[in-house]
């Protein structure tokens, strides 16, 4: 049986050249699926805002929603590291706010670590959370919580100036004590150039081959999410189509009467049935004559 992955074991995967597999999950069944599939790290991503809550960005999701999802994932997970994604507005205001909400992920949802986005003030927040004893994963490049500031959902680091900015953020987060970092939507050559300076595991999503691992959104990789897929998404299944077919077949069988079939129906002993029918008959009679009460009936053992 696989043992639960510890942070030192995750760190050791980098020098060993063992690729780290990370995926998102948002509920109990998806947690059971990723557990069984044998991934290393599970992120309860704020992408839940889009994939499961129907928002058009990650911005609206809040702490209480994230905690409910993370707790459900925890109940389905045994071996991978579980990372809770700090939603927009849950850590920006102050170190105190960041530590308080990071602690909620650990204490209320059973997460092993938290993730936050960007450099700048997030570097201070990461330091404060690490000081509080909570492992932190950084996230640079395309940071969806601040996509508006970045000019939309597009690749980052395509100019030398922006590439230098992202590199500085990544190095500052590493210095702040992050145990790993996500690079999202950056040129593969940017990653290749920076990897020599990265001592912590780098998990890529649209960041090329040279990262220490990859992360994809569960609904994207399985083809559950119906919306637009980013360039970096590879679909490994078309589960949405399977789901639509299943529900459509169910609807057709309900309408035709083919469902439920004999195997889905409960039986009753004939003698019990006749007694029951007699009861209904007596009840109808007494309702007509006004003489029957429920306490007259012998309900048996
Ligand atoms: O919220 C999320 O799913 C993420 C991953 C894409 C890294 O942040």
């Amino acid at each position: 049986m696989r043992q639960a992955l510890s942070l030192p074991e995750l760190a050791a995967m980098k020098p060993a050249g063992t690729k780290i597999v990370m995926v998102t999950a948002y509920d109990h069944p998806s947690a059971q699926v990723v557990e069984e599939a044998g991934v290393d790290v599970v992120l309860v991503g704020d992408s839940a805002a889009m994939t499961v809550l129907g928002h058009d960005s990650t911005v609206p999701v809040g702490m209480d929603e994230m905690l409910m999802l993370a707790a459900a994932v925890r109940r389905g997970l045994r071996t991978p590291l579980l990372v809770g994604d700090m939603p927009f507005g849950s850590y920006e205001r102050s170190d105190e706010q960041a530590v308080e909400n990071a602690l909620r992920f650990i204490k209320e949802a059973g997460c092993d670590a938290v993730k936050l986005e960007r450099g700048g003030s997030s570097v201070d927040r990461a330091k404060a959370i690490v000081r509080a004893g909570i492992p932190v994963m950084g996230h640079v490049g395309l940071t969806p919580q601040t996509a508006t500031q970045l000019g939309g959902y597009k690749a980052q680091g395509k100019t030398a100036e922006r590439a230098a900015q992202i590199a500085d953020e990544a190095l500052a987060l590493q210095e702040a004590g992050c145990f790993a970092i996500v690079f999202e939507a950056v040129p593969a050559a940017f990653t290749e150039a920076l990897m020599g300076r990265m001592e912590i595991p780098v998990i890529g999503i649209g960041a090329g081959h040279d990262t220490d691992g990859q992360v994809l959104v569960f609904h994207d990789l399985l083809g559950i999410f119906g919306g637009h897929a980013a360039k970096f998404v590879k679909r490994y299944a078309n589960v949405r189509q399977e789901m639509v077919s299943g529900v459509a077949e169910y609807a057709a069988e309900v309408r035709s009467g083919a469902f439920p079939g004999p195997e889905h129906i409960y039986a009753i002993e004939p003698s019990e049935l006749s007694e029951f029918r007699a009861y209904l008959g007596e009840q109808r009679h007494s309702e007509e004559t006004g003489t029957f009460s429920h306490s007259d009936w012998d309900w048996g053992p």
Side-chain angles (χ1 to χ4, degrees):
M1 191 159 67
R2 253 164 60 101
Q3 296 299 307
L5 186 71
S6 67
L7 280 179
E9 284 164 343
L10 183 85
M13 290 171 81
K14 181 182 174 83
T18 309
K19 291 281 187 186
I20 297 165
V21 182
M22 175 162 141
V23 69
T24 67
Y26 314 103
D27 57 17
H28 188 255
S30 57
Q32 288 182 317
V33 167
V34 300
E35 169 77 49
E36 202 175 323
V39 306
D40 302 307
V41 183
V42 174
L43 172 71
V44 183
D46 64 350
S47 48
M50 302 169 82
T51 54
V52 300
L53 299 178
H55 295 295
D56 59 8
S57 82
T58 60
V59 167
V61 72
M63 269 307 290
D64 289 342
E65 292 161 309
M66 289 299 296
L67 288 173
M68 189 193 67
L69 301 175
V73 171
R74 173 78 283 166
R75 291 189 283 272
L77 222 58
R78 206 177 45 78
T79 47
L81 269 174
L82 178 58
V83 182
D85 207 2
M86 299 196 66
F88 192 52
S90 72
Y91 59 95
E92 293 83 351
R93 266 195 290 281
S94 65
D95 287 356
E96 289 71 26
Q97 184 206 24
V99 171
E100 191 177 317
N101 282 320
L103 279 168
R104 291 190 72 193
F105 269 111
I106 308 300
K107 289 175 73 84
E108 294 176 37
C111 289
D112 301 306
V114 297
K115 177 171 87 57
L116 42 69
E117 293 189 5
R118 295 180 300 116
S121 60
S122 293
V123 175
D124 296 328
R125 305 295 173 257
K127 261 189 214 157
I129 298 169
V130 170
R131 254 199 322 267
I134 300 170
V136 178
M137 178 180 276
H139 182 160
V140 297
L142 173 57
T143 46
Q145 292 177 1
T146 45
T148 310
Q149 262 184 347
L150 301 177
Y153 293 89
K154 44 177 150 169
Q156 301 294 310
K158 293 182 83 161
T159 63
E161 190 186 353
R162 178 72 182 124
Q165 223 174 50
I166 300 170
D168 288 348
E169 289 176 354
L171 293 168
L173 285 162
Q174 172 168 274
E175 193 59 35
C178 286
F179 73 92
I181 189 162
V182 170
F183 283 8
E184 178 166 350
V186 290
F190 162 88
T191 305
E192 191 197 350
L194 187 58
M195 280 309 281
R197 308 270 305 274
M198 297 305 300
E199 291 156 16
I200 57 174
V202 175
I203 317 287
I205 176 162
H209 284 115
D210 289 302
T211 54
D212 301 299
Q214 298 288 333
V215 54
L216 277 180
V217 165
F218 185 83
H219 287 55
D220 286 341
L221 85 92
L222 290 180
I224 301 173
F225 190 52
H228 164 76
K231 179 180 170 65
F232 50 69
V233 170
K234 178 170 178 186
R235 288 217 194 289
Y236 289 87
N238 192 351
V239 172
R240 184 186 178 83
Q241 195 43 54
E242 279 291 299
M243 291 165 104
V244 172
S245 307
V247 177
E249 196 177 333
Y250 162 67
E253 289 201 355
V254 169
R255 289 179 183 130
S256 72
F259 177 82
E263 68 277 31
H264 308 116
I265 290 170
Y266 297 102
I268 180 171
E269 288 297 325
S271 60
E272 297 293 334
L273 182 59
S274 0
E275 205 174 323
F276 173 58
R277 283 191 192 283
Y279 161 69
L280 290 179
E282 273 180 44
Q283 197 183 41
R284 193 175 324 117
H285 172 73
S286 56
E287 274 166 11
E288 281 159 15
T289 59
T291 57
F292 181 82
S293 100
H294 272 88
S295 55
D296 295 335
W297 180 254
D298 174 11
W299 289 95

